[in-house]
Amino acid sequence: MSTPAPLPTLFLSHGSPMIAIEPGEAGLFMQRLGPAIDRIWGRPRAIVIMSPHTATRTPFVLGAAHHDTIHDFGGFPEALDDIYYDAPGEPALAQQVAHLLADAGLLAQFTPQGGLDHGIWTTLMHLYPQVDVPVVPVSLTPQSKPAELLAMGRLLHSLTTQGVLVIGSGSLTHNLHRFFRHPTPVDAPEESDCAAFRAWVQARTDSADWPALLDYRAQAPFAVEMHPTDEHWLPFYFAAGASTQGEAMPALGKRLHASVTHGHLAMDAYGFGAGAALLADALALG
């Protein structure tokens, strides 16, 4: 039986750092996601990942041979500071990523520095708790437009045929001002504007309506309420772009998980590429 190729690319919502000790529905989904990928494609040889918590003015590719866990938050239980996900890096792959970006004209730079922010390690600790998959973080440029992140992801499509899993880690919705202004329990019922935004994203992704998705701030219902700023949403486009090549728009997208915490913090996950539907079926079967 031939192995499906290439790997799908993923957008995962990481939510609060508390997902490290209180996985909830999204964390439990990610605990099933890693084994599902392994069953179909085998263990990825490396992960290239973008998180909003490693942000720079121009793109950087972190090429350390070893990444320390960065506890880049405050006001949470001390137990979070006792969790470490010190993962291996892969400097040669980081150099390759930097070259792929730079050769296309992006001001991308390799750096031997490393470290995994909480948008990375709280996700990967559920996918691959064995800490045995090398990680190459790519910094987010939060001033970029969705189309620019989509184009950036496209430049890395070739990696998906080489056993590299490309992930954008962010949040399907992210309005912390609202959360702190009107605190709600983690299991609060979903609020109507969150539901409308999530449904719009799913419908546009299912129909590959990328002109609308790229113009989400103008076209999506309650876009400003769900994303006062773009940084937690932009990794969606990076992941989607990596599923295709050339100038083609991503054709296949599939919601792999849907859940909401605190009434308006959505934890949905998406897969992109030819393998996304296969992965969704595998997850549905358990």
Side-chain angles (χ1 to χ4, degrees):
M1 180 176 178
S2 60
T3 300
L7 277 163
T9 62
L10 303 173
F11 171 74
L12 303 177
S13 295
H14 61 257
S16 157
M18 288 296 292
I19 195 173
I21 56 177
E22 296 177 356
E25 293 181 51
L28 295 176
F29 153 74
M30 286 187 274
Q31 290 173 17
R32 295 189 296 113
L33 177 60
I37 292 170
D38 288 353
R39 286 195 301 271
I40 302 170
W41 288 274
R43 182 64 58 98
R45 75 172 180 89
I47 293 170
V48 170
I49 186 166
M50 174 181 284
S51 161
H53 302 288
T54 298
T56 52
R57 292 174 64 88
T58 58
F60 279 81
V61 184
L62 280 62
H66 174 86
H67 294 289
D68 291 331
T69 305
I70 303 174
H71 297 91
D72 52 344
F73 45 76
F76 289 94
E78 290 184 8
L80 281 174
D81 294 324
D82 295 330
I83 298 176
Y84 290 88
Y85 191 92
D86 294 348
E90 190 171 320
L93 175 61
Q95 290 275 15
Q96 182 183 357
V97 170
H99 287 146
L100 287 170
L101 299 177
D103 288 349
L106 291 183
L107 295 175
Q109 300 179 59
F110 169 90
T111 174
Q113 298 182 40
L116 304 182
D117 67 58
H118 80 267
I120 298 175
W121 64 263
T122 63
T123 300
L124 298 186
M125 66 176 285
H126 293 302
L127 257 71
Y128 294 111
Q130 302 87 353
V131 203
D132 60 347
V133 182
V135 182
V136 174
V138 177
S139 70
L140 172 72
T141 51
Q143 75 281 3
S144 295
K145 294 178 170 56
E148 294 171 326
L149 268 295
L150 191 82
M152 183 181 183
R154 279 197 197 106
L155 300 174
L156 305 183
H157 173 71
S158 61
L159 301 178
T160 66
T161 67
Q162 301 168 25
V164 176
L165 181 62
V166 179
I167 299 175
S169 175
S171 289
L172 201 286
T173 65
H174 190 262
N175 187 337
L176 291 186
H177 295 295
R178 176 172 175 171
F179 173 76
F180 289 115
R181 190 168 60 247
H182 302 292
T184 52
V186 68
D187 59 350
E190 182 179 11
E191 296 164 23
S192 60
D193 52 0
C194 178
F197 181 83
R198 293 171 66 229
W200 184 91
V201 171
Q202 183 182 17
R204 297 305 178 277
T205 304
D206 283 348
S207 61
D209 187 355
W210 286 96
L213 285 163
L214 291 171
D215 192 33
Y216 94 99
R217 191 161 283 279
Q219 297 195 36
F222 306 105
V224 175
E225 290 83 356
M226 294 298 98
H227 287 285
T229 54
D230 281 332
E231 77 286 340
H232 274 74
W233 181 230
L234 288 174
F236 177 91
Y237 300 99
F238 174 76
S243 72
T244 190
Q245 59 186 337
E247 295 301 316
M249 287 293 184
L252 298 171
K254 191 76 173 176
R255 187 164 73 174
L256 304 176
H257 171 75
S259 64
V260 176
T261 61
H262 301 285
H264 59 86
L265 295 178
M267 299 296 293
D268 298 9
Y270 279 82
F272 303 98
L278 185 62
L279 181 56
D281 290 344
L283 288 163
L285 292 172

